[in-house]
Amino acid sequence: MSDNSAQLKLPSQETLELPIQEGSLGPNVIDVRALAAKGIFTYDPGFVSTASCESKITFIDGEKGTLLHQGYPIEQLAKHSDYLETCYLLYYGELPNAVQKSRFEQTIKNHTMVHEQMLLFFNGFRRDAHPMAIMCGVVGALSSFYHDSLDITNEQHRETAAFRLIAKMPTLAAMCYKYSIGQAFMYPQNHLSYAENFLHMMFGIPAEANKPVNSVLAKAMDRIFILHADHEQNASTSTVRLAGSSGANPFACIAAGIAALWGPAHGGANEAVLNMLNEMGNVSKVDTFIKRAKDKNDPFRLMGFGHRVYKNYDPRATVMRESCYEVLQELGYENDPIFKLALKLEQIAREDEYFVERKLYPNVDFYSGIILKALGIPTSMFTVIFALSRTVGWISHWREMLSGSYRIGRPRQLYTGPVQRDYKPIEQR
């Protein structure tokens, strides 16, 4: 806590002393909790200037292009770590030693199966249902199977729920895909890594159950998981915290996060990149669309360039770009029309003065969308994979909130509706 404070002069001429709190990194925060007692609230649509909680998990500096998980730069984690080790870091606050890592990985593998009755849930959905609609339903339904981990006041219950969610999300995500194409569900194989297992369940078939998973593709998938694991207090993470503040069970909270992530302004960015590339068609039309992107009167926008948070280069994009090139080379897709178009757009954005001056660099969604398409994953599954990756971030924030002091979320409003009026019988209206 800083000795500094801000002074606010109220209409009544009273002056309030509002404490200024200092974090370990980032801007200071003015504590406005005293305002409610004076009958005054702050007005901040979208909460873009409001810190809703205190957290130790993730720090972002958009101006400098910095993303830290428990103090570790995302670039280092993506290069040297793997997804499950990053999960351990986000949840427990420290990187594991060899024994802790091995024990954690084994625990997750012990929870990869879902209850056989869960398979019946899928039959209730149409085959053409959006995978995110299915994910919202089946993840929320997990609470009906695991009554032994629903006491949110019990740390062991919270931990068990976290293990189950991290472990079962790839299984459920792959089941969503298999159901949509009419193929048999593939059971998880616990001798495989987290990313390998997911690709096995996505693309394996019973007739070729032991077909090996390509290591280059598995590495790229693991990086996608790491780079989407957490991103501070965004819309879906805040939704999980808000739902959790009511005492809701962890499975319901994660289902709420999935619903928030479903929105195209949040989790659908990499899907929008592919839709844009398909609209362009091929390299011959690049100049036309670039000209449209520069025209402020044209509604067309380049998707996957720039970022609301990062005013510099998205630190995740550098790593994802490397994986993108590795995957395209491994699969021999360098000359595919759509991928050639994407790489041409990348070149223009990195060299054209218009984009450089405005720092509209390719972001993580631009490259992840290309990678997922190259892997053969349909665009309808992109946000499901995002939800799979982000589950550890959501459950870590949920656990952090419940482990400290918190209050049920209750945002206020600026009411602009009618003043009080008397009811009139219908014949008098």
Side-chain angles (χ1 to χ4, degrees):
M1 177 74 70
S2 169
D3 293 333
N4 298 329
S5 64
Q7 292 186 336
L8 176 65
K9 192 172 185 179
L10 304 179
S12 63
Q13 301 306 307
E14 179 183 1
T15 299
L16 279 182
E17 295 281 339
L18 302 175
I20 297 178
Q21 298 192 36
E22 295 181 358
S24 54
L25 291 171
N28 294 342
V29 176
I30 300 175
D31 187 340
V32 299
R33 285 176 288 184
L35 292 180
K38 302 296 181 181
I40 298 175
F41 311 132
T42 58
Y43 182 63
D44 183 22
F47 308 113
V48 293
S49 298
T50 299
S52 62
C53 64
E54 178 182 329
S55 180
K56 299 177 180 179
I57 298 172
T58 296
F59 172 76
I60 297 172
D61 187 327
E63 295 295 331
K64 296 180 180 179
T66 299
L67 171 59
L68 307 177
H69 289 329
Q70 299 284 5
Y72 293 97
I74 189 62
E75 303 95 322
Q76 293 183 19
L77 293 173
K79 184 175 181 180
H80 303 295
S81 186
D82 58 44
Y83 181 66
L84 285 184
E85 185 175 65
T86 303
C87 288
Y88 188 101
L89 171 68
L90 290 170
Y91 192 80
Y92 292 111
E94 297 290 345
L95 287 171
N97 59 35
V99 174
Q100 291 169 328
K101 185 173 188 291
S102 177
R103 186 183 299 124
F104 181 73
E105 289 177 347
Q106 190 58 49
T107 300
I108 296 300
K109 289 180 178 181
N110 289 342
H111 287 287
T112 54
M113 295 282 288
V114 297
H115 196 287
E116 282 292 294
Q117 282 187 274
M118 286 292 294
L119 278 61
L120 302 177
F121 278 61
F122 286 82
N123 293 328
F125 294 95
R126 287 172 50 125
R127 289 282 178 179
D128 59 354
H130 195 287
M132 284 294 279
I134 300 176
M135 285 295 282
C136 282
V138 296
V139 171
L142 288 174
S143 61
S144 65
F145 289 92
Y146 301 112
H147 301 286
D148 61 338
S149 60
L150 296 184
D151 182 359
I152 65 170
T153 65
N154 185 312
E155 173 58 32
Q156 187 174 353
H157 281 213
R158 295 198 293 263
E159 186 178 59
T160 300
F163 293 156
R164 285 172 169 159
L165 280 160
I166 295 168
K168 297 181 193 304
M169 286 296 281
T171 308
L172 293 173
M175 290 171 71
C176 287
Y177 172 64
K178 288 295 194 181
Y179 183 75
S180 71
I181 61 175
Q183 286 189 2
F185 297 143
M186 294 295 292
Y187 287 104
Q189 296 290 318
N190 289 347
H191 68 280
L192 298 174
S193 71
Y194 194 87
E196 288 173 337
N197 204 17
F198 175 65
L199 292 176
H200 154 75
M201 292 187 289
M202 280 285 290
F203 299 116
I205 56 176
E208 300 176 352
N210 295 319
K211 186 177 180 179
V213 178
N214 185 302
S215 60
V216 174
L217 307 188
K219 176 184 175 184
M221 195 76 253
D222 193 73
R223 279 188 169 178
I224 286 178
F225 292 158
I226 291 174
L227 296 174
H228 290 86
D230 191 52
H231 211 237
E232 209 220 71
Q233 306 305 319
N234 49 70
S236 58
T237 301
S238 298
T239 298
V240 171
R241 278 184 175 262
L242 191 61
S245 73
S246 73
N249 72 72
F251 305 105
C253 294
I254 299 305
I258 293 171
L261 186 70
W262 193 355
H266 188 6
N270 49 14
E271 183 175 351
V273 170
L274 264 295
N275 292 336
M276 175 192 71
L277 294 176
N278 289 327
E279 180 185 356
M280 290 184 178
N282 57 63
V283 175
S284 67
K285 299 180 181 179
V286 168
D287 291 340
T288 300
F289 281 93
I290 290 294
K291 184 177 180 180
R292 289 183 60 190
K294 294 179 180 180
D295 184 355
K296 63 181 180 180
N297 295 317
D298 193 312
F300 174 77
R301 293 292 180 268
L302 283 179
M303 305 305 296
F305 293 84
H307 195 280
R308 180 183 178 185
V309 172
Y310 298 108
K311 307 308 177 187
N312 205 315
Y313 200 78
D314 183 342
R316 302 168 297 172
T318 304
V319 182
M320 194 62 80
R321 180 174 184 265
E322 179 183 316
S323 287
C324 181
Y325 278 78
E326 289 175 354
V327 168
L328 295 183
Q329 183 176 4
E330 177 69 16
L331 296 176
Y333 285 164
E334 301 97 322
N335 295 318
D336 181 276
I338 288 294
F339 297 126
K340 286 182 70 175
L341 171 59
L343 299 181
K344 180 64 175 178
L345 283 175
E346 179 206 26
Q347 179 186 353
I348 292 173
R350 293 167 68 90
E351 297 175 358
D352 189 297
E353 285 187 12
Y354 176 89
F355 296 100
V356 173
E357 288 177 0
R358 291 165 176 76
K359 298 181 179 179
L360 297 176
Y361 303 113
N363 60 35
V364 69
D365 299 307
F366 180 78
Y367 295 112
S368 66
I370 297 171
I371 291 174
L372 293 175
K373 177 175 173 58
L375 293 177
I377 296 173
T379 54
S380 62
M381 281 291 298
F382 285 8
T383 316
V384 172
I385 292 173
F386 194 159
L388 186 171
S389 310
R390 184 57 56 85
T391 293
V392 66
W394 291 334
I395 203 67
S396 296
H397 282 275
W398 173 82
R399 180 238 191 183
E400 180 182 61
M401 179 187 70
L402 294 178
S403 298
S405 61
Y406 69 97
R407 300 178 63 182
I408 184 172
R410 181 55 171 92
R412 308 311 290 251
Q413 66 175 13
L414 173 64
Y415 177 71
T416 56
V419 296
Q420 182 173 326
R421 46 187 173 172
D422 293 326
Y423 177 86
K424 291 182 179 181
I426 192 168
E427 63 272 11
Q428 296 180 20
R429 296 177 214 158

